[in-house]
């Protein structure tokens, strides 16, 4: 019957975010030259439930898309039982006859699918929506364009990708070729519109514009693409799902040129501003044209004039006026896309169209500071209530010393490399914040940024900078933690500080005793030890210094702080007077092809980003393998305001490319400031020396993994039968023997975890140490169990990865023991029911008999003749527990007589090896009445 389906897609909407119910709509476009109606196909929800067969549905005429085109749709709600990924598919026989680029299309089923991802971590979600119909017409030799007018209702990012049309789930249509295949052209090498090259067929992954330059043979073609959606969560992008559009392009014999659009440049506006722009349309043949606009913004208050879709003369150019009074609710991270479509109206032949996409970004207005002042031991910031009530958070950004940059138009958030650090994020309704983490003598400068909740997201323009001059210099002022010598056991660090020149010397009379404390890492006081002490009897403005020796500056970062003791203080037992904590500078090389990238960092109370040269430039020193720190030579400098703490050495120092077979050694000299003229600037601090070789392709050796933890005996002894309050922790250790061809240049270890044998491993942690504690606080929590399998690999500074260690699995100490007697109804409240040994009975029995790590039990009782008299099924965490609690009655509720009965129990344990998860217990029980 020359059947009937031209194009279609499936759109999915979540009914509400508190349920797992979705509204699923199938939209198709049909060929009215066939008598067959849409329907009788099967919709599969992708969750294992039975597909449903659709009823036949009447068509709605779409003569605006050309002759013999109609549309129909079907909507149904479906509730999923649990989170997961589901592919919703619809299949129906058949496609319409005569599609040129699909073999035997009239006998080919039509299939489209949409994927949804129900994940509490990713949040509530709806599929993308496509506003422009999937039927368009083209002329041979004239470039063809189509845009689906897609948008995401949640503000997620969308991307487009061509795929092959399908005839059923997992199976593409037979004999598909792209529309620009050579067989559709008389002169393939001149098949494009300009007659100077072969035809092309592509889709813009960002705008979704489909371009065929240019059609060849007359006829109908079907193509397909997917609209993928992505959501950014905590800085990482996650794919949510996709919608498949199967569309038809009808190439007709015509002598026509496509119309053209003139649209404004992409714009960015602050919420509250009004957009008022005119879009122009022309036609090379002076045919009348119609300009239409498609976008989510028309649901948000935008409008066009005229809005009746009427044709206008194209000479002078036709006009469409777009207006939109934006508001705070329109703020989001992704730009809004407005797709304009222009259609001509020739006297004969098909209408041709062109598309243009206009991006509009709506951002939040800047917050406004009102004051900054000292408040006790802190700095109190105040600002006006934020103008947008839908803002989610206010970010407080701080840096030492001023960086008075002015953001560019619509530049949101803090500028990269500006030297600010976010110190807190608070509710957007707040109008003040007290900063207590201060370093003596520092000048602190603040900025505010308003952010908006995901998934739409978005942020504001940054506030003006507001500074506090200066924190009272009542504590020691640490100024230097500089690596003077690099070594594994003989490294040296120079630590320097200034006296607290504003301390109350009446309350704290001299002499002062200064103690230097050291700890490993960028921050924190774990393993902090006193390494130096000096008494200063007379005030001085000079730096006080101490050289810490015997250190492993090759592999470790150290942090320091200075304590002041005043033995003659008159204030009694007060808190110690400490400086802020400052770390050494850590330099990391990243070898690349014929170059080496350097990255460095430090945690210090001063700023290592000075806004203006020459102090904004950190210095790069380089030497050869075997050179000492002092022998390295200055080769370059880098402005960290422009480039951040990154430098790429490609041989520009002496115009000599780096050699792949040579090792180069580096160190960095950073420059810092407290922003206080009383503290000399710049503060100069060296990193450690590191060595690297370009184009390193040699991976590290595979680590060897071990695991330590409680034995089953220790676990039972400590926890007895109280599993609910047990501490679940696996301590993992690994080592690497650098032998043969592998290198000792490990940058990080990646530890992977699978909850059971055979399950897919997932990244658990990336660590620089050779141990890791896996517990409930890990990024992938261990949960109420010990079970799991682990493996680890080493990655060097060039990104080379070692082989994985051997898998190491740990299991639970599972147990299920049943008694052999019950005495129901005798009044002694002992053995009244038949149940496994558990918490209530451990005083009378050994605790190693207690139930442990049982998921379910299937229990049956038989009399001496083998007849089943009782059955029970229980699962942990449900009303029917795993403890059975059989009272000696049969399934029909009658008391069974005294005597011996036999039982069988199929027990499922929570084990690492699924093959060991089940156990069949058989035994006897004596009922004593």
């Amino acid at each position: 019957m020359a059947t009937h389906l031209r194009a279609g897609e499936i759109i999915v909407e979540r009914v509400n975010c508190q349920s797992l119910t979705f509204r699923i709509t199938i939209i198709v476009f049909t060929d009215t030259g066939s008598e067959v109606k849409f329907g009788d196909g099967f919709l599969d929800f992708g969750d294992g439930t039975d597909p449903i067969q659709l009823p036949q549905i009447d068509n709605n005429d779409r003569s605006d898309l050309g002759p013999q085109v109609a549309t129909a749709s079907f909507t149904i709600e479906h509730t999923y039982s649990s989170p997961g990924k589901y592919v919703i598919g619809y299949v129906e026989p058949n496609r319409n006859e005569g599609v040129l680029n699909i073999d035997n299309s009239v006998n080919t089923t039509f299939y489209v699918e949409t994927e949804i991802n129900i994940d509490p971590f990713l949040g509530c979600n709806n599929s993308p929506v496509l506003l422009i119909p999937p039927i368009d017409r083209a002329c041979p030799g004239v470039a063809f364009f189509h845009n689906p007018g897609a948008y995401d209702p949640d503000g997620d990012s969308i991307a487009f990708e061509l795929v092959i049309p399908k005839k059923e789930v997992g199976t593409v249509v037979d004999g598909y070729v792209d529309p620009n295949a050579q067989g559709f052209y008389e002169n393939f090498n001149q098949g494009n519109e300009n007659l100077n090259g072969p035809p092309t067929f592509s889709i813009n992954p960002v705008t979704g514009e489909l371009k065929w330059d240019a059609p060849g043979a007359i006829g109908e073609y079907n193509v397909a693409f997917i609209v993928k959606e992505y959501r950014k969560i905590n800085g990482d992008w996650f794919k949510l799902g996709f919608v498949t559009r199967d569309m038809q392009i009808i190439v007709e014999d015509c002598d026509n040129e496509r119309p053209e659009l003139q649209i404004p440049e992409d714009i960015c506006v602050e919420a509250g501003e009004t957009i008022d722009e005119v879009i122009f349309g022309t036609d090379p043949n002076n045919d009348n044209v119609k300009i239409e606009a498609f976008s989510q913004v028309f649901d948000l208050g935008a409008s066009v004039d005229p809005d009746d879709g009427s044709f206008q003369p194209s000479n002078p150019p036709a006009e469409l006026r777009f207006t939109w009074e934006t508001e705070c609710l329109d703020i989001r991270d992704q730009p809004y896309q407005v797709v304009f479509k222009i259609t001509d109206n020739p006297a004969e032949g098909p209408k041709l169209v062109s598309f243009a996409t206009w991006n509009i970004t709506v951002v939040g207005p800047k917050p406004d500071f009102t004051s900054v002042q000292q408040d006790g031991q802190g700095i109190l910031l105040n600002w006006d209530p934020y103008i947008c009530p839908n803002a989610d958070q206010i970010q407080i950004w701080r840096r030492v010393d001023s960086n008075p940059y002015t953001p560019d138009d619509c530049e949101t958030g803090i500028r990269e490399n500006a030297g600010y650090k976010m110190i807190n994020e608070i509710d957007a309704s707040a109008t003040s914040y007290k900063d207590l983490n201060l370093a003596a003598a520092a000048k602190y400068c603040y900025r505010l940024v308003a952010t908006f909740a995901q998934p739409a997201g978005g942020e504001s323009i940054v506030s003006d900078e507001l500074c506090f001059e200066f924190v009272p210099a009542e504590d020691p002022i640490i100024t230097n933690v500089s690596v003077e010598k690099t070594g594994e056991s003989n490294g040296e660090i120079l630590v320097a500080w200034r006296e607290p020149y504003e301390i109350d010397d009446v309350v704290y009379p001299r002499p002062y005793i200064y103690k230097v404390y050291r700890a490993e890492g960028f921050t924190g006081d774990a393993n902090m030890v006193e390494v130096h002490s000096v008494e200063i009897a007379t005030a001085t403005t000079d730096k006080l210094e101490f050289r810490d020796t015997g250190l492993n500056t090759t592999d470790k970062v150290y942090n320091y702080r200075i304590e002041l003791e005043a033995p003659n203080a008159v204030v009694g037992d007060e808190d110690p007077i400490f400086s802020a904590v400052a770390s050494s500078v850590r330099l990391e090389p990243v070898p690349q092809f014929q170059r080496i990238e350097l990255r460095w960092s430090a945690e210090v109370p001063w700023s290592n980003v000075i806004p203006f040269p020459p102090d904004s430039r950190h210095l790069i020193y380089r030497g050869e393998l075997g050179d000492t720190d002092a022998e390295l030579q200055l080769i370059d400098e880098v402005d960290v305001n422009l480039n951040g703490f990154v430098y790429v050495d490609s041989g520009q120092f002496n115009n000599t490319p780096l050699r792949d077979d040579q090792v180069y050694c580096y160190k960095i000299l950073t420059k810092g400031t407290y922003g206080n003229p009383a503290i000399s600037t710049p503060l100069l601090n060296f990193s450690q020396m590191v060595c690297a070789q370009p184009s390193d392709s040699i991976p590290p050796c595979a680590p060897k993994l071990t695991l330590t933890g409680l034995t089953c005996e220790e676990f039972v002894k400590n926890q007895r039968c109280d599993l609910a309050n047990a501490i679940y922790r696996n301590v993992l250790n690994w080592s690497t023997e650098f032998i043969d061809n592998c290198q000792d240049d490990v940058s990080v270890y990646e530890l992977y975890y699978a909850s059971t044998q055979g399950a897919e491993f997932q990244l658990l942690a990336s660590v620089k140490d050779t141990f890791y504690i896996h517990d409930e606080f890990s990024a992938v929590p261990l949960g109420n169990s010990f079970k799991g399998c682990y493996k680890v690999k080493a990655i060097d500074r060039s990104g080379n990865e070692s082989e994985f260690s051997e898998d190491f699995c740990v299991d639970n100490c599972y147990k299920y023991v049943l008694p052999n007697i019950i005495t129901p109804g005798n009044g002694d409240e002992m053995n009244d029911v038949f149940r496994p040994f558990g918490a209530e009975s451990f005083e009378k029995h050994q605790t190693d008999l207690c139930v442990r790590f049982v998921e379910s039990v299937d229990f049956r009782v038989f009399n001496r003749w083998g007849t089943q008299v009782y059955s029970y099924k229980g699962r942990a965490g449900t009303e029917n527990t795993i403890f059975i609690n059989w009272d000696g009655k049969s399934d029909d509720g009658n008391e069974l007589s005294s005597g011996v009965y036999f039982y069988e129990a199929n027990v499922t344990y929570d084990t690492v090896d699924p093959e060991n998860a089940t156990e069949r217990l058989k035994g006897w029980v004596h009922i004593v009445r």
Side-chain angles (χ1 to χ4, degrees), residues 686-860:
F686 278 107
S687 73
Q688 91 286 12
M689 179 173 63
V690 297
C691 299
Q693 180 178 337
S695 303
D696 174 18
S697 60
I698 302 175
C701 293
K704 294 182 179 180
L705 179 65
T706 60
L707 186 146
T708 59
L710 295 176
T711 65
C712 288
E713 291 75 15
E714 291 171 330
F715 177 73
V716 170
K717 181 178 179 181
N718 291 345
Q719 300 302 144
R720 308 185 75 162
C721 290
D722 185 14
L723 293 187
N725 295 312
I727 298 175
Y728 298 95
R729 177 185 296 131
N730 289 328
V731 181
L732 301 139
N733 296 274
W734 55 90
S735 61
T736 304
E737 295 181 7
F738 296 99
I739 56 177
D740 299 328
N741 293 326
C742 55
Q743 291 187 333
D744 184 5
D745 57 351
V746 176
S747 173
V748 69
Y749 293 96
E750 287 189 348
L751 180 65
Y752 287 77
Y753 165 73
S755 59
T756 59
Q757 290 181 3
E760 182 178 352
F761 277 88
Q762 59 182 319
L763 180 64
L764 177 60
S766 296
V767 297
K768 292 182 178 293
D769 297 313
T770 56
F771 72 91
Y772 182 79
I773 298 175
H774 189 195
D775 56 20
E776 61 179 312
F777 303 108
S778 300
V780 181
L782 185 58
N784 295 328
S785 171
F786 293 103
K787 71 170 186 180
C789 294
Y790 301 88
K791 60 182 179 180
V792 64
K793 66 180 176 182
I795 302 175
D796 67 18
R797 296 187 179 101
S798 301
N800 298 310
E801 300 181 0
S802 75
E803 294 181 355
F804 275 107
S805 68
E806 292 184 1
D807 295 0
F808 194 109
C809 296
V810 62
D811 209 348
N812 288 319
C813 310
Y814 49 89
K815 199 80 167 182
Y816 198 79
V817 179
L818 293 167
N820 57 15
I821 189 171
I822 57 171
T823 58
N826 66 356
D828 63 357
E829 297 183 354
M830 294 175 59
N831 300 321
D832 289 342
V833 295
F834 183 81
R835 57 178 285 137
F837 294 109
E840 80 296 332
S841 57
F842 77 84
E843 295 293 348
K844 299 183 182 300
H845 302 281
Q846 295 180 349
T847 57
D848 64 356
L849 298 180
C850 288
V851 169
R852 299 193 303 271
F853 304 108
V854 174
E855 291 185 337
S856 65
V857 60
D858 184 352
F859 175 73
R860 294 185 295 168

Side-chain angles (χ1 to χ4, degrees), residues 569-716:
V570 298
V571 294
D573 186 17
E574 293 289 329
D575 292 335
I577 302 174
F578 281 107
S579 73
V581 175
S583 79
S584 57
V585 182
R586 186 68 184 173
L587 175 61
E588 296 287 348
V590 183
Q592 299 169 352
F593 180 67
Q594 293 187 340
R595 64 183 194 171
I596 296 174
E597 181 179 280
L598 303 173
R599 293 180 174 271
W600 59 98
S601 60
E603 287 290 335
V604 293
W606 57 85
S607 173
N608 277 328
V609 180
I610 301 176
F612 307 106
D615 292 339
S616 63
R617 300 188 181 112
H618 292 193
L619 306 184
I620 316 298
Y621 291 80
R622 190 182 79 188
E624 297 180 356
L625 186 64
D627 287 349
T628 65
D629 292 68
E631 291 173 332
L632 302 187
Q633 295 182 347
L634 177 65
I635 64 165
D636 210 343
E637 52 188 35
V638 56
D639 191 329
V640 295
N641 286 280
L642 301 176
N643 302 286
F645 297 162
V646 180
Y647 176 79
V648 177
D649 182 13
S650 57
Q652 63 268 38
F653 162 57
N654 53 8
N655 294 319
T656 302
L658 300 188
R659 292 173 48 186
D660 290 343
D661 61 350
Q662 183 170 332
V663 176
Y664 299 87
C665 299
Y666 301 87
K667 68 185 308 180
I668 306 296
L669 180 65
T670 63
K671 298 179 182 180
T673 182
Y674 275 100
N676 188 334
I679 310 296
S680 67
T681 297
L683 307 175
L684 303 178
N685 290 280
F686 278 107
S687 73
Q688 91 286 12
M689 179 173 63
V690 297
C691 299
Q693 180 178 337
S695 303
D696 174 18
S697 60
I698 302 175
C701 293
K704 294 182 179 180
L705 179 65
T706 60
L707 186 146
T708 59
L710 295 176
T711 65
C712 288
E713 291 75 15
E714 291 171 330
F715 177 73
V716 170

Side-chain angles (χ1 to χ4, degrees), residues 755-757 787 789 810-811 909-918:
S755 59
T756 59
Q757 290 181 3
K787 71 170 186 180
C789 294
V810 62
D811 209 348
Y909 298 107
D910 184 16
T911 64
V912 71
D913 185 352
E915 292 187 1
N916 296 332
T918 58

